[in-house]
Structures are given as structure tokens and as C-alpha cells.
Amino acid sequence: MIPYFRLTTLTLGPVTLQTWGLLVASGVLAAVAAGRREARRFGLDGEAWLDLAAWMVLAAIIGARLMYALAYAPRYFAADPLAVVRIWDGGMSIWGGFLGAGLAAWICSRRLRLPLLPYLNLAAFVLPLGCAIGRLGCFLIHDHPGVLSRSFLAVAYPGGARLDHGLLLSLLNAFIFAIFLVWRRYGRSPVPFLAGYALIYGAGRFILDFYRAWDLPGADLRLWALTPAQYLSLAAAAFGAWLLARSLRTPAVAAPAAA
């Protein structure tokens, strides 16, 4: 069992950093840097990737905040609409971030005349790396407690040991990234990472949300026994399965050469 601790800030001399924000930013930077390094392997332009990634990150932040406001706390934000811009108060939905980033990629790819799907495929390859790091921030501040549990992964919360959703999602993303590294190395064709992430993460997130706390103040909203994220997870998993089936029906081609 994991001992309970809460690390909300880090102090470096006169500077105090928010742990969650630091790890999320670190995850974003790691994913963007990995994408820049992998771009040539994917047959893409690294500089174009950086331009596209900058807009995707900005749109992801906006989308994540708006989705949280609409799906998780509509009454709160209806009473105080300006709260939507106070992102430092917390409250993000990763599915809103995915949708925002996807929309930005579509718009920017048209303006920059870039092939959309290859760049989305690259983004999907590095996404679990960034999410694995960023979700550690959720774990360190324990803002997503899970159900009571005696698992070796449970955290000894005050009042009873519980699973921690931030840790579980970090491990899920690390597992997906490990699969992608193997798949990229030994795959018989350019890997449909976009399909793989949508399918594996969507299915995994749907299952893991059943282990989110429902008996604590501030627990996630449930709609017909499911969280809003679970409905989006089902849609993502279905999309991933469709995209993967479609890619498997296309003739195999040689994998890109390593850089």
C-alpha cells in the first residue's frame, strides 16, 4: 500500500511552483520534444510539427476548461461565467482537451497545407508519454480519489485506503506508450497510433472510471450511473476500433526507416 502524502507545491528559493501545473507542463514539453524527434521517422516536417503542436496545446487547454465547465460543473459556471478563465482554480476535462486539439489540428493543417492524419498519428504516438507524466501531477495532489480498496496500488488516505485515479491513469498511459514503442519497432506497416490510442485509452478509461470515488464530497457527476468521461470514452473506443479495422483492410506498406 502506498503511504498518503500530498505535494501541492515545490519551493525553489524565492519561487513557488504548483506541482500539478509543473508536471502537466513537463508532460506537454516531453510530448512535443518527442514528436519533433520522431517526425523524420514518420516522414513529416519537424518544424511544421512544432507549429502545429503549439496551436494544439493552446486549443487543448481551452477545450479542457470548456468541457469541464459544461459537463462537470454547469451550475457553478452559470452562476459565475468569468470563472471559466480562472484556470488556476483547477478543473479540466482531458476529453475536452483531446477534442480541442483535434479541432486545432484540422484548422491548422488546412491553413498550413499539411496532411492531417499523419500529423495526428504522430501526436497520438507521443500523447501517452505526455499524459503519463502529467497525470503524476494529479496523483501527487490526490485530486482524483478512487473507491475504497485493499489493492497494493491503493493509497492510505485519511479515513481509509483508496485507489488514486491519477496514478491509475498515469500507469495506463505508460502502458500504452510501451506498447507503441514495441509496435513502432516491429510493426509491419506504419502504425495507426491514432486508432490504437483511441481504442486502448477509451476502453481503459471507461473501465477505470468505475473505480472513481462516488461517496466523497465533490465526486464526479454521474449520468445514468456513468461519468461524462465514460460516455466520451465509449465513443473514442468505437472510433478507434473502426479506424483500426479500416487500416487493417488497406494493403501493407513498408515501415518508415529509423532516423
Side-chain angles (χ1 to χ4, degrees):
M1 187 172 295
I2 302 171
Y4 180 81
F5 60 91
R6 199 160 188 262
L7 185 61
T8 57
T9 60
L10 291 173
T11 301
L12 301 175
V15 179
T16 298
L17 301 174
Q18 296 293 323
T19 306
W20 180 82
L22 177 62
L23 280 165
V24 169
S26 298
V28 169
L29 291 175
V32 172
R36 173 65 180 84
R37 181 176 180 177
E38 293 291 321
R40 184 179 176 185
R41 186 191 298 268
F42 280 69
L44 301 174
D45 184 340
E47 297 307 312
W49 157 254
L50 292 179
D51 291 340
L52 190 62
W55 287 107
M56 290 174 70
V57 170
L58 177 61
I61 295 172
I62 296 172
R65 186 62 170 173
L66 291 177
M67 178 66 76
Y68 177 81
L70 293 172
Y72 288 91
R75 293 183 180 179
Y76 173 78
F77 288 97
D80 184 11
L82 290 179
V84 75
V85 301
R86 297 199 295 268
I87 60 175
W88 54 86
D89 289 341
M92 296 281 189
S93 166
I94 197 166
W95 284 115
F98 291 163
L99 292 173
L103 178 60
W106 177 70
I107 294 173
C108 291
S109 66
R110 292 175 64 88
R111 289 184 175 273
L112 300 175
R113 297 184 178 180
L114 299 173
L116 176 60
L117 286 179
Y119 280 95
L120 284 180
N121 200 47
L122 174 59
F125 174 73
V126 299
L127 179 59
L129 171 64
C131 287
I133 297 172
R135 282 295 185 180
L136 288 177
C138 299
F139 168 61
L140 292 177
I141 65 174
H142 299 299
D143 63 343
H144 298 305
V147 297
L148 294 167
S149 172
R150 295 182 179 179
S151 167
F152 72 96
L153 289 175
V155 176
Y157 279 85
R162 293 178 177 271
L163 295 174
D164 188 286
H165 211 61
L167 175 60
L168 296 180
L169 289 175
S170 178
L171 292 174
L172 173 62
N173 277 284
F175 172 70
I176 295 173
F177 190 59
I179 291 175
F180 282 2
L181 289 175
V182 174
W183 199 354
R184 181 198 64 182
R185 184 175 181 84
Y186 298 107
R188 65 185 179 88
S189 64
V191 181
F193 295 112
L194 178 61
Y197 191 80
L199 176 58
I200 302 172
Y201 182 80
R205 179 64 190 270
F206 178 79
I207 294 170
L208 289 180
D209 262 31
F210 285 114
Y211 296 94
R212 292 188 79 133
W214 52 268
D215 57 339
L216 295 176
D220 284 352
L221 174 71
R222 260 70 172 185
L223 302 172
W224 295 288
L226 300 179
T227 66
Q230 283 180 300
Y231 290 101
L232 293 169
S233 296
L234 283 176
F239 169 72
W242 172 80
L243 196 60
L244 184 60
R246 181 181 178 185
S247 69
L248 292 176
R249 288 197 298 267
T250 61
V253 296

